[in-house]
Every structure is written in C-alpha cells, then in structure tokens.
C-alpha cells in the first residue's frame, strides 16, 4: 500500500517536510513541489534528513523540475538521490501509488 | 525629513504572491523619496536568484524588474549570508544587480550587499519603518 | 473594449490598454492614437519614446514610472527630451499613461 506524499511548503518556512518524513514508510514516495523544492538543493541544511529518508528508510524522494527551474535552481544542483520529474512524471507517481497524501 | 524604510523579504518567489507584492509596493512607494532598502533573508534570498524561469509553472518572470530598482533610487539590497548558506547557496547564485551612481559619472556599482545575520539585525534596528513580506 | 485593425479584433481593458501584450503592432499604436477624442498622428518623436518604452519593458518587465522615464529618456536621448515639458507636449494625457498605452504596455505600476 505505497503512498505518494506531496509537500509544497519550504522546509525553512514550515515543518511539513519533517512531519511527512516522520510518517512516510519504506516504499513510499515523497514529491517536493512549489516552494518545497528549495529543500532539494545540495548543500541545504535539510539534506541530512532527506538522505536519511532515502538511504535509511527506503523512501523515494522526487522534486518537480518546473518548480526548480522557476526558482533558478539548475538540475545539477539537486541532491544526489533525489529524482527530478516533470508534470508527466508527477502523474505517473500518482498512478504508481495507491494513495496520495498532501502535506499542506 | 527622510525616514528609513526597509522592506523585509522572507519568502521564495512563485510559491506565494508575497515576493511580487513586495516588489510592486516598493516601486510604488519609491515615489515618496524616502531612504529605502530591501532585505532578503530566509527563503527570500531566492527572490534575487540567477536564472529564474517560471514559464513551465505558468507564471511571469518578474526577476528582471529587480534590475530596475536603481532607476527608482533604490540601491541597497541586503542579503543575509547565513540564509544563503543554510540553503546551499552563495553570492554567485544571485543576480549581479547594479545601479548607476549619478554623483560619480553614472558609474555602475553593485546594489547587492551580502552581510551577516548580526549585521542584518543591526540594520533592522536602525530603521524607522519596516514592511514585512 | 476592443480595437478593430485590418479586420482583426484586439481586446483592450476599459481604459484602452491591451489585454494581451503580444497583440501589439505599430498599427495598434496608430489606431489607439487615432481613437483619442482629439486624434493624434504619431510622429518620429512619438515613436522614439514608444520604442524606448518597449525596450525598457523588454529588459525590466515593467512600465517605468513617469519620473523614471523622464530621467532615462534624458540619459538616452538628451536633456532637451528628458523633461516633463517635452514629454507632455508629445503625450498630453500624461507620458506614462498615454505613451505606455500606445506601446502596448500595462499602465505603469503605481499610476492611478
């Protein structure tokens, strides 16, 4: 029963990413969209939590490319292990997971 | 007497409307000939990041407008170093915004000043009015 | 509101500014000028300012405030043109409002 978690707020602004990562289970996916993509930049101070989720807890992390590009973040600046998807990839994720939960 | 006005920008562009609203207020209020500065801290540092392109999210790229601030007499853009570092960014990731100094034969000078959190706190304390966005 | 140009309908807002900036052509500017209560025939002097505004918008994504326009025109085209008297003689409804309209730009930010 894999779940897609969608986070849209900056991790520096709200604690939704932290809360989401605390509740996501192995095999789940987390998609960062809108201002949440700021956390995906390598060198950012939330990187450790994301790496722990990816490597420690077997959670897949994705970031929405158009939102990275909007904010001037080049794709090569995204933390290794995070997969960048486009809108079609967003749709694929919602199909691939049985349930979707938005962390507003 | 001219008062010191600071616009405090703390949010990333495009996810919310704060960044654009702040910029519009700044441009309108520039007519009042006060001593205006802009501060970028927390996610606000992304407002003046290089290479913004929100075409695919269906929004207008308003980042070129920051380059017009000099024409409006706004030449002080303070950016907090710690906020950049927390986000994995550095000064090189910011647009090289400049102004033309009328008192110096229109020489181009940088508007962006990267300062420490302690310096930012000091500058905030010196303001007469602070508008928070 | 709308303008009719060469059989094509171009949407404008209630003050006559273009709804879609991409609809602009020099014919649009001429049609707007002719549609004034006292029709204006655009001269090279008008075009100099209109083109300047379009370039400014292209670079900065805003229509400059009158004060900023005046200063910038002075710098680019000389002091004899960078003053309110000259700009108002060309655009009596206000250089910001009227010239921006002909240039297909939105009303300058902060202009009421």
């Amino acid at each position: 029963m894999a779940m897609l978690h969608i986070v849209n707020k900056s991790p520096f602004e709200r604690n939704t990413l932290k809360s989401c990562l605390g509740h996501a289970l192995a095999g789940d996916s987390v998609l960062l969209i809108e201002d949440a993509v700021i956390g995906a930049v390598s060198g950012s101070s939330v990187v450790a939590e994301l790496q722990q989720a990816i490597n420690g807890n077997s959670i897949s992390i994705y970031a929405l490319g158009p939102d990275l590009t909007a904010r001037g973040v080049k794709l090569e600046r995204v933390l290794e292990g995070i997969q960048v998807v486009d809108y079609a990839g967003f749709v694929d994720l919602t199909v691939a997971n049985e349930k979707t939960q938005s962390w507003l | 007497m001219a008062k010191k006005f600071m616009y405090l920008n703390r949010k990333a562009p495009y996810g919310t409307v704060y960044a654009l609203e702040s910029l519009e207020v700044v441009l309108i209020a520039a007519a009042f000939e006060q001593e205006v500065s802009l501060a970028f801290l927390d996610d606000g540092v992304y407002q003046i990041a290089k290479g913004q392109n929100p075409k695919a999210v269906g929004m207008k790229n308003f980042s070129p407008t920051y380059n017009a601030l000099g024409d409006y007499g706004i030449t002080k853009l303070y950016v907090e170093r710690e906020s950049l570092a927390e986000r994995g960014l550095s000064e090189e990731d910011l647009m090289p915004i400049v102004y033309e100094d009328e008192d110096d034969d229109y020489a181009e000078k940088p508007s962006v000043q990267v300062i420490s959190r302690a310096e930012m706190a000091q500058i905030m304390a010196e303001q007469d009015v602070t508008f928070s966005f | 509101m709308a303008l009719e140009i060469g059989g094509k309908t171009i949407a404008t807002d209630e003050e006559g500014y273009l709804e879609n900036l991409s609809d602009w052509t020099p014919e649009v500017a001429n049609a707007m000028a002719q549609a004034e209560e006292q029709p204006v025939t655009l001269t090279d002097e008008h075009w100099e300012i209109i083109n300047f505004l379009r370039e400014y918008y292209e670079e900065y994504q805003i229509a400059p405030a009158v004060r900023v326009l005046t200063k910038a025109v002075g710098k680019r085209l000389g002091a004899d043109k960078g003053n309110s008297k000259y700009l108002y003689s060309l655009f009596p409804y206000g250089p910001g409002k009227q010239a921006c309209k002909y240039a297909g730009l939105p009303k300058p930010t902060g202009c009421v």
Side-chain angles (χ1 to χ4, degrees):
Chain A
M1 289 286 276
M3 189 182 283
L4 172 64
H5 302 264
I6 301 171
V7 179
N8 75 337
K9 295 293 187 296
S10 162
F12 298 99
E13 178 104 10
R14 303 263 195 99
N15 65 355
T16 44
L17 176 63
K18 200 185 197 54
S19 191
C20 164
L21 293 177
H23 294 87
L25 302 173
D28 282 358
S29 297
V30 175
L31 173 63
L32 308 176
I33 66 167
E34 299 172 19
D35 288 346
V37 298
I38 283 172
V41 177
S42 73
S44 103
S45 59
V46 296
V47 152
E49 288 169 57
L50 289 168
Q51 276 170 330
Q52 171 59 28
I54 296 166
N55 303 322
N57 305 343
S58 303
I59 294 164
S60 303
I61 311 276
Y62 301 86
L64 192 61
D67 279 316
L68 289 162
T69 306
R71 289 159 187 77
V73 179
K74 292 209 173 71
L75 301 189
E76 62 261 28
R77 294 287 292 273
V78 174
L79 176 70
E80 214 184 308
I82 294 183
Q83 300 164 66
V84 176
V85 295
D86 57 11
Y87 287 115
F90 189 162
V91 174
D92 290 341
L93 283 171
T94 61
V95 174
N97 289 275
E98 278 158 294
K99 286 193 280 187
T100 298
Q101 175 161 341
S102 287
W103 293 78
L104 299 175
Chain B
M1 210 187 86
K3 285 191 172 178
K4 286 186 161 203
F5 281 70
M6 175 177 264
Y7 292 85
L8 191 53
N9 300 291
R10 295 188 45 254
K11 293 184 174 67
Y14 311 116
T16 58
V17 80
Y18 290 95
L20 177 58
E21 291 281 319
S22 171
L23 185 57
E24 291 198 333
V25 173
V26 165
L27 293 174
I28 293 165
F32 296 104
E33 310 245 318
Q34 302 291 336
E35 215 180 297
V36 175
S37 63
L38 272 57
F40 298 90
L41 57 146
D42 298 338
D43 287 340
V45 298
Y46 269 102
Q47 293 180 21
I48 55 169
K50 261 183 203 163
Q52 297 176 36
N53 181 3
K55 206 173 173 180
V57 295
M59 294 173 90
K60 179 179 156 169
N61 183 2
F62 55 89
S63 66
T65 306
Y66 292 94
N67 291 304
L69 288 171
D71 293 348
Y72 284 75
I74 297 162
T75 60
K76 291 191 176 79
L77 275 58
Y78 300 111
V79 182
E80 189 176 277
R81 186 174 290 115
E82 286 85 341
S83 295
L84 288 170
E86 282 163 8
R87 287 159 187 78
L89 303 179
S90 69
E91 190 164 2
E92 285 72 56
D93 294 308
L94 304 176
M95 295 188 286
I97 300 166
V98 295
Y99 70 99
E100 293 176 341
D101 190 346
E102 284 176 46
D103 301 325
D104 190 5
D105 198 23
Y106 294 98
E108 279 195 354
K109 297 185 177 176
S111 299
V112 175
Q113 297 178 48
V114 177
I115 59 172
S116 71
R117 189 161 281 165
E119 288 169 313
M120 185 67 89
Q122 207 56 49
I123 290 168
M124 282 180 186
E126 290 164 7
Q127 303 301 314
D128 295 301
V129 184
T130 302
F131 294 104
S132 204
F133 287 90
Chain C
M1 276 171 60
L3 284 169
E4 293 287 339
I5 295 161
K8 205 180 157 216
T9 306
I10 289 171
T12 61
D13 68 11
E14 69 272 16
E15 292 179 280
Y17 292 83
L18 288 187
E19 292 277 7
N20 302 305
L21 275 49
S22 56
D23 282 341
W24 189 88
T25 60
E27 289 71 42
V28 168
N30 281 318
M32 284 175 164
Q34 286 300 324
E36 299 286 2
E37 267 179 52
Q38 295 175 353
V40 180
T41 301
L42 297 179
T43 62
D44 288 350
E45 285 72 30
H46 289 103
W47 282 109
E48 199 171 42
I49 304 301
I50 291 169
N51 290 329
F52 179 84
L53 279 168
R54 289 189 59 81
E55 284 167 30
Y56 196 94
Y57 190 85
E58 180 63 32
E59 183 168 3
Y60 299 118
Q61 299 295 306
I62 48 165
V66 181
R67 174 176 73 84
V68 173
L69 171 68
T70 310
K71 215 156 78 171
V73 165
K75 213 185 140 222
R76 171 85 82 84
L77 307 171
D80 53 328
K81 293 181 176 173
N83 60 76
S84 311
K85 199 176 162 215
Y86 175 77
L87 292 173
Y88 271 90
S89 71
L90 288 175
F91 301 101
Y93 297 100
K97 273 189 192 177
Q98 196 181 359
C100 285
K101 188 166 81 173
Y102 297 172
L105 310 187
K107 203 157 75 164
T109 304
C111 191
V112 283

